[in-house]
Amino acid sequence: MSDSGGRDVTQELRPPWDEDPDDLYEHAPCGYLTMLPDGTIVRVNQTFLTWTGYQRGDLVGHRRFRDLLSAGGQLYHETHYAPLLRLRDEVRELAFDVVCADGRTLPTVVNSMLARGPEREPRAIRAMVLDATERRRNEQELLDSRRRAEDSERRIRVLQEVVADLAAAPTEAEVAEAVVRAPESAFGAASSSIYLIDPERETIVAVASTDPTTGNWDDMPVTSSRAVARVAERGDLHVVGSLAEAARHFPDLVDNMRRSGRDTVVLLPLTTGPTEEHAGAETLGVLAFSFTGERKLSDADLSVVRLLGQQAGQALDRARLYDEARRREERVTFLAETTRALDELPRMLPRARRLLDRLVPEIADWAEVRLSVGPTGVQEERGARPPDPDMLALALARVTASGEPIFPAADEKLACAVLPLTARGRVLGTLALRRTPERGSDDHERAFLLELADRSALTLENSRLYEQERQIARTLQRSLLAGGPPGGDKRFTVETHYQAAGQDLEVGGDWFDAFLITKDRLAVVVGDVVGRGIDAATTMGQLRSAIRALSGEDVGPARLLEGLDRFVDRVESARMATVAYAEIDLVTGDLTYACAGHLPPLLQEPGGAPEYLMQARSAGLGSRAGDLRRTQETRRLPAGSRLLLYTDGLIERRSRPLDKGFELLAREFARRQDAPLQGFTAGLADTLVGRDHADDVCLLCVSLGTEERIERTIGADRMQITLLRADLRAWLVSHGVEPETRDAVLLACSEAVANSIEHGYRDDPFGMIDVVATVTADAVEVKVADRGTWRGPMTDVSRGRGLQLIRESMDQVLFDRSDGTIVTMRRAREAAA
């Protein structure tokens, strides 16, 4: 019986076979992993192995879950997954890309739980891994569909807005354009013209017409005796039914009516106000339309005409109110946009120039800014011919002394406004601008100009203060990074590069350092402090000094980071700073390193591919979340290895994933593996970020030991010889080869390469030349090999004294023509000779 009293049907619902719990686990529709608290995999089901292609023995006890993730996923694991799991004991639906055994990536969604023991100590991590391939594909399809729908909706909305704008006719010009066409469709008029009254200038202006050959297009004063002005003054409809009537009442119409073949003209005032009669109504303009032949308008027609005048007048009144509101809104918008545009530039002179670019020609035809800052001040102008210099100088002096603006009268010769740029109670300078008459000169315009001057003065003063602080921070930063890396030790070479942000931002907190802990132990470090400006530069110096003070022969990277954690407890501005720190034993070649929230160092051993050092990672300094344990990793480096430490400005971009930045850096690092270390870091930064970038870039590259032999491959291009000579010279110097022997080897090698280019690859500009050099205590040997086709024997080559120079410079010269041409040259060292 069931609990409810009915028949128990659970037995009937069970499958007719016994379910094996192990089979359920192994072949579940999702991946299951059981891990130790440090992430080491101790159990994994067959589903996950099938998806990823790994063997069980490859994972259990040998790999951590984070080791199966992409580089970006590993960083996300340490910065989000691990801290959240320790904080909440579970995480849900975190997306990771799992790198399969064959190198492909599997999109997954991971749910994990942290099991704890009786004392709340972490015991195990259980993770469920779901294949998110179809989910990601569906999400992408949904995003694409949504994007297409939004594009379609946007097009429809824009079309609706255009139609609505035409129907509403919000501006005076649009109202005039709509009204001027009404008589043709409503009454069959031959042509129409509309005239509007400008109350500020007390003139009547012709603004639109369906036939510009008719009517009079000259502006006229409102007191004119012409027909349009008289009708506007009376404010009543007048119909001129014939030429004879025009001659009696409006003689100025006669010539136009004869010339255009019009016999009837209707002059309709466009009024707003009371609808009865015209008492108390205001005339805003006149609509004139005419007919070919005499046209009698009925009372009904006249009523419609008068209604058209009233509706058009009301529309014009609304449009003028709208235009005034729009002008006010435009002023406010212009002020806000100008302030925002000026704030985009931190420097004073660029801000002054951008201010003038905003003013001319949008609101003035000439403008000038003068600032009383610095030893020479700032003076910039834009626009047409400036005002009279003497009158302008007097006005500027008066405004500077009094702090009061000058607005010229309409008939004043200066014809430009001079405004004080006042900020924090101090007259910083002046803004002079000349506005054309049609821009107006009422109280609203004056208030607008005063607000513009006040905002401009404040942003210019802020830029002046910023430049002061920026200069102080730059000076501080240069003084802290002025000390060069240690030199004079042939066991290592250090090359550094610092590049400030190319968009004129504040000084950042990127820094580097290299110093000898003992005569046989080298320390290198690159760090990044949170924030910008003087505080960041000061904190950078404190951290740099703290690292030097904490380092020691028996300390090591992990203990040093622990000391820095204690240090940042007392220096709050250093909290969450990131550091990549490494120590190199110059005797054994052992590299010991650790990273506190910093990007992983990049290592390239001779003949190998670049490798990111992803071990010994922990949270930033003073972090209260994430893995707080400081660990270190050690590996042996052969001579010729290069280690690169860098800051995020080198690879991080908002427009691409972090993994892509890692890939580009590794590719470029590998491409330059044979390049001389001198200029290496600067060239790397120039290739990856250029000069126009938004963040500071800091690099430090250390080359360990000296290559026992140098191998280079160059193209058949004479320009390559100069680069080869510089590289070979540096290598010979590093081995202490005597100057006379060194010069002889360089000369002979250059001549041999030149022979290969000129004769071996005379018909093949894409040929390649291999150069191999070795040095011993007794001699230097150089081999130059090409695969070109020579004409005649090597001894017949005649290119000046090239072959003779090779024989005279070297003690032994051998030629091998079996496969291309190989020139082997040997020169005894001076001590051996």
Side-chain angles (χ1 to χ4, degrees):
M1 296 294 290
S2 66
D3 294 340
S4 60
R7 185 167 57 90
D8 188 359
V9 298
T10 56
Q11 295 295 329
E12 299 177 8
L13 296 178
R14 292 176 180 173
W17 64 88
D18 292 330
E19 290 282 356
D20 183 3
D22 289 337
D23 185 75
L24 287 174
Y25 175 86
E26 289 293 335
H27 300 95
C30 61
Y32 280 107
L33 294 95
T34 303
M35 297 167 283
L36 297 179
D38 65 351
T40 301
I41 299 173
V42 296
R43 189 175 182 185
V44 58
N45 73 341
Q46 185 60 42
T47 301
F48 183 85
L49 297 175
T50 302
W51 286 351
T52 59
Y54 289 105
Q55 298 297 321
R56 196 179 305 272
D58 296 337
L59 302 183
V60 175
H62 295 89
R63 303 288 291 276
R64 296 175 299 174
F65 177 67
R66 57 163 290 176
D67 297 334
L68 305 181
L69 306 178
S70 64
Q74 292 183 27
L75 291 178
Y76 190 80
H77 182 283
E78 74 177 59
T79 57
H80 291 75
Y81 175 93
L84 287 175
L85 188 61
R86 290 188 179 90
L87 184 65
R88 302 177 180 174
D89 289 350
E90 66 174 357
V91 293
R92 297 180 181 178
E93 296 191 3
L94 293 186
F96 288 105
D97 285 343
V98 175
V99 181
C100 300
D102 57 2
R104 61 186 175 85
T105 57
L106 175 68
T108 65
V109 174
V110 178
N111 293 335
S112 297
M113 297 186 65
L114 177 62
R116 296 184 180 272
E119 302 299 328
R120 296 294 297 165
E121 75 279 7
R123 296 185 62 181
I125 300 173
R126 299 186 180 94
M128 180 176 68
V129 182
L130 302 177
D131 185 347
T133 304
E134 289 297 325
R135 173 178 175 176
R136 186 168 298 182
R137 184 181 300 114
N138 293 337
E139 289 175 348
Q140 187 61 44
E141 291 176 357
L142 288 174
L143 289 174
D144 294 341
S145 299
R146 179 180 178 182
R147 190 178 299 110
R148 289 193 295 270
E150 289 176 348
D151 291 342
S152 176
E153 181 181 357
R154 185 172 61 254
R155 297 189 194 98
I156 294 173
R157 186 168 60 251
V158 170
L159 180 60
Q160 291 174 338
E161 290 174 353
V162 170
V163 173
D165 289 342
L166 292 176
T171 66
E172 189 175 76
E174 291 172 329
V175 170
E177 189 65 27
V179 171
V180 78
R181 299 188 182 279
E184 296 185 12
S185 58
F187 307 108
S191 62
S192 304
S193 301
I194 188 169
Y195 303 82
L196 298 181
I197 298 175
D198 185 348
E200 289 188 6
R201 296 193 296 159
E202 296 184 343
T203 56
I204 300 176
V205 182
V207 294
S209 176
T210 60
D211 184 1
T213 63
T214 62
N216 192 320
W217 287 91
D218 295 331
D219 293 351
M220 65 189 81
V222 293
T223 57
S224 172
S225 60
R226 288 163 53 182
V228 171
R230 291 170 61 187
V231 170
E233 181 184 8
R234 292 205 309 251
D236 195 12
L237 170 67
H238 196 96
V239 179
V240 181
S242 63
L243 286 173
E245 186 177 350
R248 289 195 302 270
H249 299 288
F250 306 110
D252 62 289
L253 291 179
V254 175
D255 291 340
N256 286 330
M257 293 175 66
R258 286 175 177 171
R259 184 174 63 254
S260 59
R262 304 291 191 261
D263 295 303
T264 301
V265 176
V266 178
L267 299 174
L268 173 66
L270 308 177
T271 60
T272 180
T275 56
E276 65 279 358
E277 295 301 325
H278 63 274
E282 178 185 2
T283 301
L284 304 180
V286 175
L287 175 64
F289 55 96
S290 57
F291 301 89
T292 301
E294 295 186 2
R295 172 71 180 271
K296 299 294 185 181
L297 297 176
S298 64
D299 291 341
D301 291 336
L302 294 176
S303 297
V304 173
V305 170
R306 286 191 174 91
L307 181 61
L308 173 63
Q310 293 171 357
Q311 293 297 321
Q314 292 175 4
L316 283 173
D317 189 40
R318 290 195 303 270
R320 287 187 173 180
L321 292 175
Y322 171 81
D323 285 343
E324 178 60 29
R326 180 173 52 83
R327 280 194 294 270
R328 294 183 181 180
E329 182 180 356
E330 287 176 351
R331 297 186 193 110
V332 173
T333 302
F334 179 83
L335 290 172
E337 291 179 349
T338 299
T339 302
R340 183 165 55 251
L342 296 182
D343 288 341
E344 291 174 354
L345 301 174
R347 307 290 296 276
M348 173 176 283
L349 183 57
R351 281 192 181 186
R353 291 171 176 170
R354 178 167 289 187
L355 172 61
L356 294 176
D357 291 338
R358 295 277 303 167
L359 297 179
V360 179
E362 186 165 350
I363 68 169
D365 62 1
W366 172 87
E368 178 192 70
V369 170
R370 296 196 185 193
L371 302 174
S372 303
V373 295
T376 60
V378 173
Q379 181 177 347
E380 293 286 329
E381 68 173 315
R382 295 285 188 280
R385 184 175 58 85
D388 179 85
D390 295 332
M391 297 182 65
L392 179 61
L394 291 174
L396 293 174
R398 176 180 162 190
V399 170
T400 302
S402 65
E404 297 295 330
I406 294 178
F407 294 101
D411 57 349
E412 190 172 337
K413 291 183 179 180
L414 178 61
C416 76
V418 181
L419 311 170
L421 296 174
T422 305
R424 297 179 175 92
R426 171 175 172 260
V427 178
L428 189 66
T430 57
L431 171 63
L433 67 163
R434 181 176 58 214
R435 290 168 62 80
T436 53
E438 60 269 17
R439 298 186 185 274
S441 58
D442 56 13
D443 293 339
H444 295 298
E445 288 296 316
R446 294 185 177 186
F448 161 68
L449 294 179
L450 291 174
E451 178 69 15
L452 173 64
D454 289 341
R455 293 195 180 198
S456 301
L458 184 58
T459 188
L460 290 171
E461 173 67 5
N462 289 340
S463 67
R464 184 185 69 83
L465 298 175
Y466 163 79
E467 288 190 7
Q468 286 183 349
E469 179 178 343
R470 181 175 180 273
Q471 184 60 36
I472 295 172
R474 284 284 186 210
T475 303
L476 176 60
Q477 187 179 50
R478 290 193 188 100
S479 65
L480 292 172
L481 299 180
D489 193 326
K490 297 179 182 179
R491 295 175 296 177
F492 69 91
T493 306
V494 177
E495 178 77 3
T496 62
H497 177 71
Y498 178 83
Q499 186 171 315
Q503 298 180 0
D504 216 1
L505 300 175
E506 291 182 288
V507 176
D510 295 12
W511 56 279
F512 60 79
D513 197 7
F515 57 93
L516 287 170
I517 300 175
T518 67
K519 66 181 182 65
D520 294 324
R521 195 166 190 84
L522 173 68
V524 291
V525 59
V526 164
D528 190 358
V529 174
V530 177
R532 308 190 71 86
I534 293 179
D535 291 341
T538 304
T539 303
M540 175 194 75
Q542 292 175 309
L543 273 179
R544 192 168 182 264
S545 301
I547 289 176
R548 289 202 173 209
L550 291 171
S551 62
E553 183 176 3
D554 299 324
V555 175
R559 289 179 57 192
L560 184 138
L561 293 182
E562 292 172 355
L564 289 179
D565 285 330
R566 293 189 294 272
F567 172 77
V568 300
D569 286 340
R570 300 188 299 272
V571 182
E572 185 64 28
S573 59
R575 188 172 299 279
M576 295 310 297
T578 64
V579 172
Y581 177 80
E583 295 180 0
I584 302 174
D585 190 319
L586 300 176
V587 176
T588 64
D590 287 342
L591 167 70
T592 307
Y593 66 92
C595 290
H598 205 81
L599 296 176
L602 182 59
L603 171 67
Q604 182 161 34
E605 298 180 355
E611 173 189 359
Y612 286 102
L613 303 181
M614 301 296 295
Q615 291 75 31
R617 301 192 57 80
S618 53
L621 299 180
S623 173
R624 298 186 176 93
D627 192 350
L628 304 182
R629 296 170 301 172
R630 302 301 184 185
T631 61
Q632 63 188 40
E633 187 77 11
T634 301
R635 65 183 294 171
R636 180 68 56 85
L637 301 184
S641 299
R642 286 184 176 179
L643 178 69
L644 179 70
L645 308 181
Y646 54 95
T647 56
D648 54 7
L650 185 65
I651 63 170
E652 287 190 358
R653 302 291 183 273
R654 294 182 179 179
S655 59
R656 71 186 185 207
L658 182 59
D659 285 346
K660 185 63 175 178
F662 282 135
E663 177 186 343
L664 292 176
L665 173 57
R667 184 188 308 164
E668 187 63 23
F669 196 68
R671 190 181 71 83
R672 296 170 177 265
Q673 61 180 334
D674 294 331
L677 192 62
Q678 184 177 4
F680 179 84
T681 53
L684 197 63
D686 189 57
T687 300
L688 292 178
V689 302
R691 296 297 173 184
D692 185 18
H693 57 287
D695 198 0
D696 293 353
V697 177
C698 182
L699 300 92
L700 183 149
C701 185
V702 56
S703 177
L704 183 61
T706 304
E707 298 171 274
E708 294 301 323
R709 56 187 280 146
I710 184 170
E711 299 181 9
R712 300 293 184 262
T713 299
I714 66 172
D717 182 357
R718 287 186 173 276
M719 297 297 294
Q720 298 288 326
I721 299 178
T722 302
L723 301 177
L724 175 64
R725 284 176 60 89
D727 201 5
L728 186 57
R729 180 187 297 276
W731 179 76
L732 292 170
V733 170
S734 68
H735 279 282
V737 176
E738 301 77 9
E740 183 177 347
T741 303
R742 181 176 68 235
D743 295 341
V745 171
L746 291 173
L747 176 60
C749 182
S750 300
E751 291 296 330
V753 172
N755 275 336
S756 294
I757 295 173
E758 182 173 345
H759 299 287
Y761 293 120
R762 62 190 179 280
D763 300 322
D764 183 9
F766 301 104
M768 305 301 292
I769 302 170
D770 297 325
V771 179
V772 179
T774 57
V775 62
T776 65
D778 299 329
V780 179
E781 183 176 285
V782 181
K783 289 185 179 181
V784 177
D786 66 68
R787 298 170 185 82
T789 304
W790 291 66
R791 293 178 181 174
M794 181 71 181
T795 54
D796 293 342
V797 173
S798 175
R799 54 171 310 277
R801 300 177 60 245
L803 188 56
Q804 180 182 351
L805 287 173
I806 294 175
R807 294 187 183 278
E808 291 177 354
S809 301
M810 306 300 285
D811 297 328
Q812 185 179 14
V813 182
L814 301 176
F815 299 97
D816 182 356
R817 299 293 301 278
S818 58
D819 182 15
T821 301
I822 302 176
V823 183
T824 303
M825 302 169 286
R826 188 177 187 277
R827 167 83 179 212
R829 298 182 63 171
E830 294 180 12

